[in-house]
Every structure is written in structure tokens, then in C-alpha cells.
Amino acid sequence: MEYQVEENCLTIYLPKELDHHTTEEIRRETDRQIDRNHIKYVIFDFGETNFMDSSGIGVIMGRYRKLHLTGGEVWAAHLNERMKKILKMSGVTKIVRIYEEETK
Amino acid sequence: MNRNTNEMEIIFDSCSENEGFARVAVAAFLTQLNPTIEEVADVKTAVSEAVTNAIIHGYENEVHKISILCCTEGKTLEIAVKDNGRGIEDIEKAMQPMFTTKPELERSGMGFAFMEAFMDGLEVESAPGQGTTVKMKKIIGKGRAGWTIQPN
């Protein structure tokens, strides 16, 4: 997992598999970075991720709740079709912005 | 002899490291039914949800045993994920999308909804203090008969 801070924007490069086990650490570290660096924008980068379950949805919704209070935003980037489907099914696409880009 | 059925069972500790192991083990067993990548992904997500529920809600992060029994018959895979944890008081309520008893852990409440959406059958057997068994079914190759040449 890698975290990158640029001004008030935090990018989290997610692991291959996003489940209950891996989200525990992401939640802790992301919140620490948000508080320490006055983060307003969080980008979840799914470039390496090919598995996600509802624990991943939980961590995204949780960060949205945290940032929303201060007018921040949550973005999801580099989603494959499966990840897009899971985000859509869970309704998260209503609160999270999807960043589309030409493939790397 | 050409058998039409097959079975496997795994028993493992209810620690979060085993969530990945459990879904990959079931996926590996499933490959003999010649599933699509999509079907494998559906089953992996559903198994992950059931095992995570057993760890967080069934055993509340104490380490005990979880068992998964997988049976195939023809093109149907049946999975039973079983814990001997605290059980569910109101199954109907637990299965409602967005409902969770653990919002403080940021559970999305989508676990059962995902199992239902990705599988072809879902049954939950549980009572307080009696543990929980989640039974799921997936029919492999649904609507795909026309795609490939069938063996005689």
C-alpha cells in the first residue's frame, strides 16, 4: 500500500485484494493522513485491484462521511469493469466521483 | 467411472488473514465446472462476505473454527459456510441492505445483499447462541449452453 500526499489531496494506491483484512490498515492510515495533512480530497486508486467485497464499500463510505463534513470529496480511479459493477451495485457511485482516463 | 458429484470441506481459524485463503480455495475447487472469470469472481465475493460475517459478527473477532463445505452436482455448486458463534437474532433484518449491527466498524451492511446478487440461491440458518450456517448455490454456465460445442 502506498499513500501520496499532494497539497490537500491524498492518493491511496489500493492493494490487489480489498477485503476486511486489508481495509483495517487502510482505514487507520488514511484517517491519520487526513487529520495530519488537512486533506480535502481522497483518491482511491484501483489500478492494481482486482478483488473487492463489501468491506471495501465500507471504507469508501466511511471516508466520504468524514470528508463530506468539511466539504471534501472522494474519488475512485482506474476501476476495472468488475470494480465498477460492485461500486454501482452498492450505490457508492452516487457519492463518489469516478475518474476515467485512458488506460496507462 | 464418470461421477457427477464432488465434495470438499475446509476448516480454518476465524482470523482475517484466512478470508483470502477461503475464497481462493473455493474458487480453485470451482474450476472443475469450467466457470467464466465472472462466475469465479461472483463466488469469491460471496464466500468473502460469508467468511467475514463469521469472523466479525459470529465470533466477534475471537479465534474459533469456520468450516466451508462445497458440493458440486452437475453444473451446480453448493457452498455452506458455518460458524458456531453467537448466531443471528433477526435473520430477516440482518439481510436487509444497509442494515448493520456494527456501524462503528464501518460495515456497509451490504454483505447479504452481495451474496444474494452474486449467487443463485441463499439460505441462512441461525439462532442466538446456535451459530450460523450460510448456504449458497451457484449454477455454472447458465444460458451458456449455446456458446460452446457440447460433448456427445
Side-chain angles (χ1 to χ4, degrees):
Chain A
M1 227 101 54
E2 230 179 280
Y3 302 84
Q4 192 186 312
V5 177
E6 267 177 81
E7 294 183 24
N8 61 355
C9 175
L10 168 68
T11 306
I12 304 139
Y13 295 92
L14 295 170
K16 279 199 170 70
E17 311 221 313
L18 193 55
D19 62 6
H20 163 236
H21 181 63
T22 52
T23 50
E24 299 269 290
E25 193 216 310
I26 295 168
R27 174 175 305 124
R28 220 174 315 141
E29 184 58 22
T30 302
D31 282 353
R32 207 171 62 94
Q33 297 280 359
I34 290 173
D35 296 338
R36 184 199 275 175
N37 298 303
H38 311 289
I39 296 296
K40 241 185 136 170
Y41 302 95
V42 167
I43 303 169
F44 287 99
D45 191 310
F46 284 80
E48 293 291 316
T49 309
N50 49 41
F51 177 89
M52 169 170 54
D53 64 18
S54 68
S55 303
I57 301 300
V59 84
I60 295 172
M61 291 197 323
R63 302 297 75 63
Y64 170 79
R65 279 194 205 105
K66 193 175 165 85
L67 291 173
H68 184 63
L69 298 171
T70 54
E73 282 175 8
V74 176
W75 288 72
H78 303 129
L79 296 155
N80 68 22
E81 287 308 310
R82 176 82 191 173
M83 298 303 111
K84 251 183 235 171
K85 183 177 168 180
I86 288 182
L87 289 191
K88 268 188 202 149
M89 274 177 55
S90 61
V92 161
T93 42
K94 291 184 194 124
I95 55 171
V96 168
R97 325 239 330 218
I98 310 292
Y99 178 71
E100 306 264 9
E101 190 196 45
E102 298 297 305
T103 39
K104 295 182 276 187
Chain B
M1 202 177 87
N2 208 351
R3 289 199 319 162
N4 196 31
T5 60
N6 197 357
E7 214 176 279
M8 76 99 170
E9 186 172 13
I10 48 174
I11 297 169
F12 52 89
D13 280 346
S14 59
C15 48
S16 64
E17 288 89 337
N18 282 335
E19 292 159 4
F21 159 74
R23 60 177 178 263
V24 169
V26 173
F29 183 71
L30 174 64
T31 55
Q32 59 193 310
L33 297 187
N34 202 17
T36 59
I37 291 172
E38 185 82 12
E39 286 164 340
V40 173
D42 289 350
V43 168
K44 277 171 82 171
T45 306
V47 169
S48 196
E49 299 297 350
V51 171
T52 303
N53 276 351
I55 292 171
I56 296 176
H57 300 287
Y59 291 131
E60 299 190 296
N61 289 316
E62 283 177 20
V63 176
H64 301 285
K65 302 295 179 197
I66 297 172
S67 80
I68 301 182
L69 177 65
C70 289
C71 306
T72 61
E73 191 181 345
K75 282 288 187 187
T76 304
L77 171 74
E78 287 187 344
I79 308 169
V81 180
K82 185 174 189 291
D83 69 64
N84 297 305
R86 61 178 308 211
I88 303 170
E89 264 166 50
D90 187 338
I91 297 176
E92 205 178 310
K93 203 169 176 189
M95 290 178 76
Q96 280 169 12
M98 314 300 277
F99 175 82
T100 179
T101 53
K102 299 212 186 301
E104 74 280 8
L105 297 181
E106 290 189 346
R107 305 310 306 166
S108 62
M110 296 301 291
F112 280 122
F114 275 15
M115 291 183 238
E116 222 158 17
F118 289 128
M119 302 296 275
D120 298 311
L122 173 65
E123 262 176 64
V124 182
E125 290 168 8
S126 186
Q130 304 291 307
T132 300
T133 303
V134 174
K135 292 182 176 171
M136 299 180 281
K137 192 164 86 176
K138 181 84 175 168
I139 302 160
I140 302 301
K142 239 186 338 179
R144 215 163 63 233
W147 289 16
T148 49
I149 298 162
Q150 299 297 305
N152 294 325

